[in-house]
Short mmCIF file of all heavy atoms in Angstrom, two decimals:
data_model
loop_
_atom_site.label_atom_id
_atom_site.label_comp_id
_atom_site.label_asym_id
_atom_site.label_seq_id
_atom_site.Cartn_x
_atom_site.Cartn_y
_atom_site.Cartn_z
N ARG A 131 -13.24 28.34 -79.30
CA ARG A 131 -12.20 27.41 -78.83
C ARG A 131 -10.82 28.05 -78.91
O ARG A 131 -9.97 27.83 -78.04
CB ARG A 131 -12.26 26.12 -79.65
CG ARG A 131 -13.49 25.27 -79.34
CD ARG A 131 -13.57 24.04 -80.21
NE ARG A 131 -14.74 23.23 -79.89
CZ ARG A 131 -14.76 22.25 -79.01
NH1 ARG A 131 -13.66 21.95 -78.35
NH2 ARG A 131 -15.87 21.56 -78.78
N ILE A 132 -10.57 28.83 -79.94
CA ILE A 132 -9.29 29.56 -80.05
C ILE A 132 -9.12 30.51 -78.88
O ILE A 132 -8.06 30.56 -78.24
CB ILE A 132 -9.23 30.33 -81.38
CG1 ILE A 132 -9.09 29.36 -82.55
CG2 ILE A 132 -8.06 31.33 -81.37
CD1 ILE A 132 -9.23 30.02 -83.91
N GLN A 133 -10.16 31.26 -78.56
CA GLN A 133 -10.09 32.20 -77.45
C GLN A 133 -9.84 31.48 -76.13
O GLN A 133 -9.06 31.95 -75.29
CB GLN A 133 -11.39 33.00 -77.36
CG GLN A 133 -11.58 33.99 -78.51
CD GLN A 133 -12.95 34.65 -78.47
OE1 GLN A 133 -13.87 34.18 -77.78
NE2 GLN A 133 -13.10 35.73 -79.22
N ALA A 134 -10.50 30.33 -75.95
CA ALA A 134 -10.33 29.57 -74.71
C ALA A 134 -8.90 29.05 -74.58
O ALA A 134 -8.31 29.08 -73.50
CB ALA A 134 -11.31 28.41 -74.67
N ILE A 135 -8.33 28.58 -75.69
CA ILE A 135 -6.96 28.08 -75.67
C ILE A 135 -5.97 29.21 -75.35
O ILE A 135 -5.12 29.08 -74.48
CB ILE A 135 -6.59 27.43 -77.02
CG1 ILE A 135 -7.38 26.13 -77.21
CG2 ILE A 135 -5.09 27.13 -77.08
CD1 ILE A 135 -7.23 25.54 -78.60
N LEU A 136 -6.09 30.32 -76.04
CA LEU A 136 -5.16 31.43 -75.85
C LEU A 136 -5.31 32.06 -74.48
O LEU A 136 -4.34 32.62 -73.94
CB LEU A 136 -5.35 32.48 -76.95
CG LEU A 136 -5.04 32.01 -78.38
CD1 LEU A 136 -5.37 33.12 -79.38
CD2 LEU A 136 -3.58 31.60 -78.50
N ARG A 137 -6.49 31.98 -73.89
CA ARG A 137 -6.72 32.55 -72.56
C ARG A 137 -5.88 31.83 -71.51
O ARG A 137 -5.48 32.42 -70.52
CB ARG A 137 -8.20 32.44 -72.21
CG ARG A 137 -8.61 33.26 -70.98
CD ARG A 137 -10.08 33.07 -70.67
NE ARG A 137 -10.90 33.40 -71.82
CZ ARG A 137 -11.79 32.60 -72.38
NH1 ARG A 137 -11.99 31.39 -71.88
NH2 ARG A 137 -12.49 32.98 -73.43
N ARG A 138 -5.61 30.55 -71.72
CA ARG A 138 -4.85 29.79 -70.74
C ARG A 138 -3.48 30.39 -70.50
O ARG A 138 -3.00 30.48 -69.39
CB ARG A 138 -4.66 28.34 -71.21
CG ARG A 138 -5.89 27.49 -71.13
CD ARG A 138 -5.50 26.05 -70.82
NE ARG A 138 -4.28 25.66 -71.46
CZ ARG A 138 -4.18 25.08 -72.65
NH1 ARG A 138 -5.25 24.85 -73.34
NH2 ARG A 138 -3.01 24.74 -73.13
N ARG A 139 -2.83 30.83 -71.58
CA ARG A 139 -1.49 31.40 -71.43
C ARG A 139 -1.53 32.67 -70.60
O ARG A 139 -0.68 32.91 -69.76
CB ARG A 139 -0.88 31.68 -72.80
CG ARG A 139 0.51 32.30 -72.73
CD ARG A 139 1.15 32.35 -74.10
NE ARG A 139 1.46 31.01 -74.58
CZ ARG A 139 1.84 30.76 -75.83
NH1 ARG A 139 1.92 31.72 -76.70
NH2 ARG A 139 2.11 29.52 -76.18
N ARG A 140 -2.56 33.49 -70.81
CA ARG A 140 -2.66 34.73 -70.03
C ARG A 140 -2.90 34.41 -68.56
O ARG A 140 -2.38 35.08 -67.67
CB ARG A 140 -3.80 35.59 -70.58
CG ARG A 140 -3.53 36.13 -71.98
CD ARG A 140 -4.47 37.28 -72.30
NE ARG A 140 -5.85 36.83 -72.38
CZ ARG A 140 -6.41 36.38 -73.50
NH1 ARG A 140 -5.71 36.26 -74.60
NH2 ARG A 140 -7.68 36.01 -73.51
N ILE A 141 -3.69 33.38 -68.29
CA ILE A 141 -3.97 33.00 -66.90
C ILE A 141 -2.71 32.52 -66.21
O ILE A 141 -2.41 32.91 -65.08
CB ILE A 141 -5.06 31.92 -66.86
CG1 ILE A 141 -6.41 32.52 -67.28
CG2 ILE A 141 -5.17 31.31 -65.46
CD1 ILE A 141 -7.51 31.51 -67.45
N ILE A 142 -1.94 31.67 -66.87
CA ILE A 142 -0.72 31.14 -66.27
C ILE A 142 0.26 32.27 -65.99
O ILE A 142 0.86 32.36 -64.93
CB ILE A 142 -0.06 30.09 -67.19
CG1 ILE A 142 -0.97 28.86 -67.33
CG2 ILE A 142 1.30 29.67 -66.67
CD1 ILE A 142 -1.22 28.12 -66.04
N LYS A 143 0.42 33.20 -66.94
CA LYS A 143 1.37 34.28 -66.76
C LYS A 143 0.91 35.26 -65.69
O LYS A 143 1.71 35.92 -65.04
CB LYS A 143 1.61 35.01 -68.08
CG LYS A 143 2.43 34.19 -69.08
CD LYS A 143 2.79 35.00 -70.29
CE LYS A 143 3.72 34.20 -71.21
NZ LYS A 143 4.12 34.96 -72.41
N SER A 144 -0.41 35.39 -65.51
CA SER A 144 -0.94 36.35 -64.55
C SER A 144 -0.76 35.88 -63.10
O SER A 144 -1.00 36.63 -62.17
CB SER A 144 -2.43 36.60 -64.81
OG SER A 144 -3.20 35.46 -64.50
N VAL A 145 -0.33 34.62 -62.92
CA VAL A 145 -0.13 34.11 -61.57
C VAL A 145 0.95 34.90 -60.85
O VAL A 145 0.96 35.02 -59.64
CB VAL A 145 0.23 32.61 -61.61
CG1 VAL A 145 0.64 32.10 -60.24
CG2 VAL A 145 -0.96 31.81 -62.13
N GLY A 146 1.87 35.49 -61.60
CA GLY A 146 2.90 36.31 -60.99
C GLY A 146 4.30 35.91 -61.40
O GLY A 146 5.27 36.55 -61.01
N GLY A 147 4.42 34.86 -62.18
CA GLY A 147 5.74 34.48 -62.67
C GLY A 147 6.63 33.86 -61.61
O GLY A 147 7.84 33.86 -61.75
N GLU A 148 6.04 33.34 -60.53
CA GLU A 148 6.83 32.77 -59.44
C GLU A 148 7.34 31.39 -59.81
O GLU A 148 6.58 30.49 -60.17
CB GLU A 148 5.99 32.68 -58.18
CG GLU A 148 6.73 32.07 -57.00
CD GLU A 148 5.84 31.90 -55.79
OE1 GLU A 148 4.66 32.30 -55.85
OE2 GLU A 148 6.33 31.37 -54.78
N THR A 149 8.66 31.21 -59.71
CA THR A 149 9.25 29.90 -59.96
C THR A 149 8.94 28.98 -58.79
O THR A 149 9.08 29.37 -57.62
CB THR A 149 10.77 30.01 -60.14
OG1 THR A 149 11.05 30.79 -61.31
CG2 THR A 149 11.41 28.64 -60.30
N LEU A 150 8.51 27.78 -59.10
CA LEU A 150 8.17 26.79 -58.07
C LEU A 150 9.32 25.80 -57.97
O LEU A 150 9.66 25.13 -58.94
CB LEU A 150 6.87 26.07 -58.43
CG LEU A 150 5.65 26.98 -58.67
CD1 LEU A 150 4.44 26.14 -59.06
CD2 LEU A 150 5.34 27.82 -57.43
N ASP A 151 9.93 25.73 -56.78
CA ASP A 151 11.12 24.89 -56.57
C ASP A 151 10.79 23.80 -55.55
O ASP A 151 10.52 24.10 -54.39
CB ASP A 151 12.27 25.76 -56.07
CG ASP A 151 13.60 25.00 -56.07
OD1 ASP A 151 13.58 23.75 -56.03
OD2 ASP A 151 14.66 25.66 -56.11
N PHE A 152 10.81 22.56 -56.02
CA PHE A 152 10.53 21.42 -55.14
C PHE A 152 11.75 20.53 -55.00
O PHE A 152 11.64 19.32 -54.83
CB PHE A 152 9.34 20.62 -55.67
CG PHE A 152 8.09 21.45 -55.84
CD1 PHE A 152 7.72 21.89 -57.11
CD2 PHE A 152 7.32 21.81 -54.75
CE1 PHE A 152 6.57 22.66 -57.28
CE2 PHE A 152 6.17 22.58 -54.91
CZ PHE A 152 5.79 23.01 -56.17
N GLY A 153 12.91 21.13 -55.08
CA GLY A 153 14.15 20.37 -54.94
C GLY A 153 14.57 19.74 -56.26
O GLY A 153 15.26 20.36 -57.07
N ASP A 154 14.12 18.51 -56.49
CA ASP A 154 14.48 17.84 -57.73
C ASP A 154 13.66 18.32 -58.91
O ASP A 154 14.01 18.07 -60.07
CB ASP A 154 14.31 16.32 -57.58
CG ASP A 154 12.87 15.92 -57.32
OD1 ASP A 154 12.25 16.55 -56.44
OD2 ASP A 154 12.36 15.01 -58.00
N LEU A 155 12.56 19.04 -58.63
CA LEU A 155 11.67 19.52 -59.69
C LEU A 155 11.52 21.04 -59.58
O LEU A 155 11.13 21.55 -58.53
CB LEU A 155 10.29 18.87 -59.58
CG LEU A 155 9.20 19.37 -60.52
CD1 LEU A 155 9.53 19.03 -61.97
CD2 LEU A 155 7.84 18.78 -60.13
N VAL A 156 11.84 21.75 -60.66
CA VAL A 156 11.73 23.21 -60.69
C VAL A 156 10.88 23.61 -61.88
O VAL A 156 11.13 23.17 -63.01
CB VAL A 156 13.12 23.89 -60.80
CG1 VAL A 156 12.97 25.41 -60.86
CG2 VAL A 156 14.00 23.49 -59.62
N ILE A 157 9.88 24.46 -61.63
CA ILE A 157 8.94 24.88 -62.68
C ILE A 157 9.00 26.40 -62.79
O ILE A 157 8.65 27.12 -61.85
CB ILE A 157 7.49 24.44 -62.34
CG1 ILE A 157 7.45 22.95 -62.00
CG2 ILE A 157 6.55 24.77 -63.50
CD1 ILE A 157 6.12 22.50 -61.41
N ASN A 158 9.44 26.89 -63.95
CA ASN A 158 9.60 28.32 -64.17
C ASN A 158 8.56 28.81 -65.18
O ASN A 158 8.67 28.51 -66.37
CB ASN A 158 11.01 28.62 -64.69
CG ASN A 158 11.29 30.11 -64.81
OD1 ASN A 158 10.37 30.92 -64.89
ND2 ASN A 158 12.55 30.48 -64.83
N PRO A 159 7.53 29.57 -64.74
CA PRO A 159 6.49 30.01 -65.67
C PRO A 159 6.92 31.14 -66.58
O PRO A 159 6.30 31.37 -67.61
CB PRO A 159 5.37 30.48 -64.72
CG PRO A 159 6.10 30.95 -63.51
CD PRO A 159 7.27 30.01 -63.36
N GLU A 160 8.00 31.83 -66.23
CA GLU A 160 8.45 32.95 -67.06
C GLU A 160 8.93 32.47 -68.42
O GLU A 160 8.55 33.00 -69.47
CB GLU A 160 9.57 33.72 -66.35
CG GLU A 160 10.00 34.99 -67.06
CD GLU A 160 8.90 36.04 -67.10
OE1 GLU A 160 8.03 36.05 -66.20
OE2 GLU A 160 8.90 36.85 -68.06
N ASN A 161 9.76 31.43 -68.42
CA ASN A 161 10.22 30.87 -69.69
C ASN A 161 9.59 29.51 -69.97
O ASN A 161 9.98 28.81 -70.90
CB ASN A 161 11.75 30.75 -69.72
CG ASN A 161 12.29 29.90 -68.57
OD1 ASN A 161 11.55 29.19 -67.90
ND2 ASN A 161 13.60 29.98 -68.35
N ARG A 162 8.58 29.14 -69.11
CA ARG A 162 7.84 27.89 -69.26
C ARG A 162 8.79 26.69 -69.36
O ARG A 162 8.66 25.83 -70.21
CB ARG A 162 6.91 27.97 -70.46
CG ARG A 162 5.85 29.07 -70.31
CD ARG A 162 5.00 29.22 -71.55
NE ARG A 162 4.13 28.10 -71.79
CZ ARG A 162 2.94 27.91 -71.23
NH1 ARG A 162 2.48 28.78 -70.35
NH2 ARG A 162 2.20 26.86 -71.53
N GLU A 163 9.74 26.67 -68.44
CA GLU A 163 10.74 25.62 -68.41
C GLU A 163 10.55 24.73 -67.18
O GLU A 163 10.26 25.23 -66.09
CB GLU A 163 12.14 26.22 -68.40
CG GLU A 163 13.26 25.19 -68.42
CD GLU A 163 14.63 25.82 -68.42
OE1 GLU A 163 14.89 26.67 -67.53
OE2 GLU A 163 15.45 25.49 -69.30
N VAL A 164 10.73 23.44 -67.37
CA VAL A 164 10.66 22.48 -66.27
C VAL A 164 11.99 21.73 -66.23
O VAL A 164 12.49 21.27 -67.25
CB VAL A 164 9.50 21.49 -66.46
CG1 VAL A 164 9.51 20.41 -65.38
CG2 VAL A 164 8.16 22.22 -66.44
N LYS A 165 12.54 21.63 -65.02
CA LYS A 165 13.79 20.89 -64.86
C LYS A 165 13.62 19.82 -63.80
O LYS A 165 13.02 20.05 -62.75
CB LYS A 165 14.93 21.82 -64.45
CG LYS A 165 15.40 22.76 -65.57
CD LYS A 165 16.63 23.55 -65.14
CE LYS A 165 17.13 24.41 -66.29
NZ LYS A 165 18.36 25.18 -65.90
N VAL A 166 14.15 18.63 -64.09
CA VAL A 166 14.20 17.54 -63.14
C VAL A 166 15.66 17.23 -62.89
O VAL A 166 16.38 16.84 -63.81
CB VAL A 166 13.46 16.29 -63.66
CG1 VAL A 166 13.63 15.13 -62.68
CG2 VAL A 166 11.98 16.59 -63.87
N LYS A 167 16.11 17.47 -61.64
CA LYS A 167 17.54 17.32 -61.30
C LYS A 167 18.42 18.08 -62.28
O LYS A 167 19.38 17.53 -62.84
CB LYS A 167 17.91 15.84 -61.24
CG LYS A 167 17.42 15.12 -59.99
CD LYS A 167 18.01 13.74 -59.87
CE LYS A 167 17.62 13.09 -58.55
NZ LYS A 167 18.18 13.80 -57.38
N THR A 168 18.07 19.33 -62.53
CA THR A 168 18.78 20.30 -63.39
C THR A 168 18.68 19.98 -64.88
O THR A 168 19.18 20.73 -65.71
CB THR A 168 20.28 20.43 -63.01
OG1 THR A 168 21.01 19.26 -63.40
CG2 THR A 168 20.44 20.69 -61.53
N GLN A 169 18.05 18.88 -65.25
CA GLN A 169 17.89 18.53 -66.66
C GLN A 169 16.57 19.07 -67.19
O GLN A 169 15.51 18.84 -66.60
CB GLN A 169 17.92 17.01 -66.85
CG GLN A 169 17.76 16.59 -68.31
CD GLN A 169 17.80 15.07 -68.48
OE1 GLN A 169 18.05 14.34 -67.54
NE2 GLN A 169 17.53 14.62 -69.69
N SER A 170 16.62 19.81 -68.29
CA SER A 170 15.41 20.39 -68.87
C SER A 170 14.52 19.30 -69.45
O SER A 170 14.99 18.40 -70.13
CB SER A 170 15.77 21.39 -69.98
OG SER A 170 16.40 22.53 -69.42
N ILE A 171 13.22 19.41 -69.16
CA ILE A 171 12.23 18.45 -69.62
C ILE A 171 11.28 19.14 -70.58
O ILE A 171 10.79 20.24 -70.30
CB ILE A 171 11.43 17.87 -68.44
CG1 ILE A 171 12.36 17.24 -67.41
CG2 ILE A 171 10.40 16.86 -68.92
CD1 ILE A 171 13.17 16.08 -67.92
N THR A 172 11.03 18.54 -71.72
CA THR A 172 10.14 19.12 -72.71
C THR A 172 8.70 18.72 -72.44
O THR A 172 8.36 17.54 -72.47
CB THR A 172 10.53 18.68 -74.14
OG1 THR A 172 11.86 19.11 -74.41
CG2 THR A 172 9.59 19.32 -75.17
N LEU A 173 7.86 19.72 -72.15
CA LEU A 173 6.43 19.50 -71.99
C LEU A 173 5.68 20.26 -73.06
O LEU A 173 6.14 21.31 -73.53
CB LEU A 173 5.95 20.00 -70.61
CG LEU A 173 6.52 19.34 -69.35
CD1 LEU A 173 5.88 19.96 -68.12
CD2 LEU A 173 6.29 17.84 -69.36
#
């Protein structure tokens, strides 16, 4: 279970680090930050 959990982070980072911008919602995998209307959201 530990290996399965830690593997998720490697999979997400291996996507390429591309920031996803949907206007009001921005998802940055490099620093794992999510912003809604420029406000940082804690996930």
Side-chain angles (χ1 to χ4, degrees):
R131 289 177 179 269
I132 290 171
Q133 290 173 345
I135 291 171
L136 296 176
R137 192 182 304 125
R138 287 213 324 268
R139 179 171 292 170
R140 293 197 294 272
I141 290 172
I142 295 297
K143 288 187 175 181
S144 69
V145 172
E148 178 184 358
T149 296
L150 304 178
D151 190 337
F152 303 101
D154 63 312
L155 174 66
V156 179
I157 308 169
N158 186 339
E160 187 65 28
N161 57 14
R162 298 175 68 83
E163 182 180 52
V164 175
K165 289 186 176 181
V166 175
K167 284 190 175 295
T168 72
Q169 180 179 355
S170 292
I171 304 298
T172 300
L173 297 182

